[in-house]
Amino acid sequence: MVKDIAPKAGLPANFLWGFATAAYQIEGGATADGRGPSIWDTFTKIPGKIAGGATGDVACDSYHRTDQDIELLKKLGAKVYRFSISWSRVIPLGGRNDPVNEKGLQYYVKFVDDLLDAGIVPFVTLFHWDLPDELDKRYGGFLNKEEFVADFANYAKVMFTALPKVKDWITFNEPFCSAVLGYNVGQFAPGHTSDRTKSDIGDGSTEPWIVGHHILIAHGQAVKVYREEFKEAAGGQIGITLNGDWTEPWDPNSEADREACDRKIEFAISWFADPVYFGHYPESMVKQLGDRLPSFTEEESQLVKGSNDFYGMNHYCANYIKHKDTEADPLDTAGNLDVLMEDKYGNSIGPETQSGWLRPHAPGFRKLLNWLNKRYGSPIFYVTENGTSLKGENDLPMEEILEDDFRVEYFRSYITSMAEAVAEDGIDVRGYMAWSLMDNFEWAEGYETRFGVTYVDYENGQKRYPKKSALEIKNIFDQYIGKV
Ligand code: BGC
């Protein structure tokens, strides 16, 4: 008898799938109707920071094209849409004593109503990296605990009040990136780094840890407000979205490399997830960082512990990890190890893409879901981002861009890996949002890297053209949904 050894794959009947975007990457309308600048508006104006000198001033012009975006979502069969709010559109100066911009607020009120009318669930991120610039200038933004936490909690409350129909909230998107890329590498706004060739300000050995700490407390405070005043009436849920890649040892026979694999995930993910689930930082980080890692007061620890109704997971790729024997550099943020694309034998973890950090390796998705599920006691998961760029895509003629078979394969293999984690391993994944609904402003890479399932013609009025992957995702989900 031939035994069928292919893993089972399936997703529950009520599984939510759709697409994700973020405000600064798609909205444009940078000064429309009273919006104030964010740190990204300021950062993009500094020469040399963004590929091609690009900004988010116009981007996909979604501020003026919500009807087109909703039509697109309907056409693709999406059940859920994850988007983020531009804080400085709603409170242009950002602070708790600063005026609310009614027009900015109403933009989101109407958008949520329109999505619901179209039968699409709005999954709302409060913060996707675009801090109101004034708060950075006024008191150092994330670096000032008292002010930042109070201002974020106030902003969150303004949004919870204005959008009572929203049932799914994300506080912060990828705090790792705000902290490390914004305050160590200096590649993201506000561009702090110890590298004086890039910036006059910043201390990459301390600031990322302080920023991460304050974001965690702000997350805890916003969740407290939501749970005490809104959750019950809305019947809603709230969580934080964390990014992290899977890790494989550079030398599979090295115990030190295998340990370094876990340490890498701890520095990337558990930095935030351990406080959220356990109320304290991972031991590996305390050991390496010592006093540079802030500590929680008892009250803060209690605030942050248990603050996730669900685990928001952004996941793209995997790396080989090689331990280092030397003492950790004070500027190290990865766990004193090398993050590599090839193993000891020269095997690549996956094919190259346009993004230097991203090589697809789909089995890692199931493995990371299992790693997180075990460590954090079987939480409810929502995959809030997963997707890929394509090497050289931007240089192709549009007809070829629309035939994005590489991206189709990426989604097929990653969604299958997730569906195996659900059907074989019993992991409770309730939703999946592909990154991204459309090509958009890819941060420091400007518009040269495309992550969309929809091509955006920036030269001709931001017109949207679905690529093959946009239409295939529905078929992939149809194959799995209702099969567990
Ligand atoms: C971010 C997105 C970004 C994507 C691709 C994620 O880390 O949340 O804003 O565009 O990765 O780089």
Side-chain angles (χ1 to χ4, degrees):
M1 200 176 89
V2 181
K3 199 162 174 278
D4 180 12
I5 49 156
K8 275 190 295 174
L11 298 166
N14 57 356
F15 193 84
L16 276 183
W17 69 269
F19 302 91
T21 60
Y24 191 72
Q25 296 181 271
I26 65 160
E27 281 182 2
T31 55
D33 296 335
R35 179 182 177 278
S38 74
I39 53 175
W40 273 93
D41 292 270
T42 307
F43 189 67
T44 52
K45 306 290 173 337
I46 304 173
K49 297 294 181 197
I50 312 294
T55 74
D57 285 357
V58 178
C60 307
D61 197 31
S62 284
Y63 186 67
H64 302 108
R65 290 164 200 263
T66 49
D67 48 343
Q68 288 177 27
D69 290 351
I70 291 175
E71 273 316 304
L72 178 62
L73 287 160
K74 278 169 54 181
K75 180 171 171 174
L76 307 186
K79 298 173 192 296
V80 59
Y81 181 46
R82 174 183 179 228
F83 62 96
S84 82
I85 311 275
S86 160
W87 182 345
S88 61
R89 194 180 288 293
V90 174
I91 309 176
L93 299 175
R96 57 202 180 281
N97 299 314
D98 297 320
V100 169
N101 176 28
E102 201 48 39
K103 278 193 176 160
L105 194 61
Q106 286 311 318
Y107 164 75
Y108 294 110
V109 171
K110 179 169 183 330
F111 187 47
V112 164
D113 284 346
D114 292 350
L115 280 168
L116 289 168
D117 283 349
I120 297 165
V121 173
F123 217 100
V124 180
T125 311
L126 287 168
F127 186 83
H128 201 122
W129 307 349
D130 45 357
L131 183 78
D133 194 50
E134 169 65 16
L135 302 186
D136 188 45
K137 299 211 158 66
R138 195 181 277 172
Y139 56 71
F142 307 104
L143 291 169
N144 186 321
K145 181 167 78 178
E146 275 69 33
E147 295 291 339
F148 174 67
V149 170
D151 283 346
F152 182 74
N154 170 73
Y155 157 60
K157 188 167 176 174
V158 167
M159 295 319 305
F160 299 149
T161 308
L163 303 177
K165 297 177 195 166
V166 170
K167 292 179 193 293
D168 302 284
W169 292 95
I170 294 167
T171 52
F172 288 88
N173 177 72
E174 303 190 354
F176 176 96
C177 294
S178 294
V180 171
L181 301 178
Y183 288 84
N184 174 283
V185 184
Q187 190 192 3
F188 279 13
H192 287 213
T193 174
S194 291
D195 181 348
R196 291 287 165 262
T197 64
K198 287 195 198 155
S199 167
D200 295 339
I201 40 171
D203 178 349
S205 72
T206 54
E207 287 184 355
W209 315 115
I210 296 168
V211 166
H213 194 70
H214 296 170
I215 290 179
L216 277 164
I217 297 168
H219 155 78
Q221 191 61 40
V223 171
K224 183 170 189 279
V225 169
Y226 188 67
R227 287 181 177 164
E228 286 177 359
E229 301 175 42
F230 300 91
K231 184 176 159 78
E232 206 180 277
Q237 54 180 352
I238 188 163
I240 194 166
T241 275
L242 305 176
N243 58 300
D245 309 324
W246 179 243
T247 54
E248 293 287 348
W250 177 77
D251 176 354
N253 297 316
S254 157
E255 180 61 28
D257 284 358
R258 285 203 301 273
E259 277 173 23
C261 281
D262 281 338
R263 197 163 66 248
K264 163 72 167 52
I265 299 177
E266 288 174 352
F267 269 70
I269 299 179
S270 309
W271 172 10
F272 300 99
D274 275 19
V276 165
Y277 288 92
F278 311 141
H280 57 75
Y281 288 116
E283 203 36 58
S284 58
M285 295 184 73
V286 177
K287 193 169 158 209
Q288 182 179 318
L289 303 171
D291 289 350
R292 288 184 288 122
L293 187 65
S295 46
F296 294 106
T297 64
E298 184 51 33
E299 201 188 342
E300 288 166 353
S301 161
Q302 289 307 322
L303 179 74
V304 175
K305 185 178 173 178
S307 56
N308 255 4
D309 293 337
F310 61 85
Y311 183 107
M313 178 179 186
N314 284 2
H315 179 69
Y316 286 87
C317 54
N319 291 108
Y320 288 115
I321 303 298
K322 187 173 188 233
H323 78 281
K324 283 185 185 168
D325 283 323
T326 48
E327 194 157 323
D329 186 310
L331 293 176
D332 173 70
T333 56
N336 199 26
L337 43 86
D338 286 317
V339 178
L340 304 167
M341 294 297 171
E342 291 182 358
D343 70 3
K344 189 180 174 181
Y345 310 103
N347 302 310
S348 174
I349 193 85
E352 282 183 60
T353 66
Q354 184 63 26
S355 314
W357 52 272
L358 196 174
R359 292 199 191 179
H361 181 80
F365 197 4
R366 179 174 171 188
K367 290 182 184 176
L368 185 59
L369 276 162
N370 274 279
W371 194 99
L372 296 169
N373 196 57
K374 184 162 173 228
R375 188 170 180 113
Y376 300 117
S378 307
I380 293 168
F381 287 95
Y382 285 87
V383 175
T384 46
E385 281 180 35
N386 175 239
T388 192
S389 57
L390 267 69
K391 199 166 178 56
E393 188 178 24
N394 194 41
D395 303 324
L396 299 172
M398 186 175 96
E399 310 77 66
E400 285 179 44
I401 293 185
L402 297 185
E403 297 294 314
D404 59 342
D405 292 299
F406 182 87
R407 190 175 279 108
V408 171
E409 241 350 275
Y410 178 96
F411 284 124
R412 191 184 307 287
S413 61
Y414 269 81
I415 293 167
T416 301
S417 185
M418 173 181 73
E420 288 170 4
V422 171
E424 285 270 346
D425 312 327
I427 302 203
D428 189 359
V429 187
R430 307 234 175 135
Y432 172 100
M433 291 146 247
W435 187 270
S436 177
L437 175 64
M438 57 194 145
D439 294 335
N440 56 47
F441 176 77
E442 178 55 13
W443 309 111
E445 289 167 44
Y447 297 96
E448 291 174 9
T449 299
R450 296 176 179 267
F451 265 89
V453 298
T454 303
Y455 175 77
V456 176
D457 187 353
Y458 299 112
E459 255 91 76
N460 296 295
Q462 274 64 32
K463 207 162 177 301
R464 287 107 160 99
Y465 300 87
K467 304 176 192 174
K468 197 190 247 183
S469 59
L471 303 156
E472 271 305 313
I473 286 190
K474 179 173 188 307
N475 297 334
I476 301 169
F477 277 106
D478 282 349
Q479 183 189 338
Y480 293 127
I481 288 183
K483 302 285 162 54
V484 283

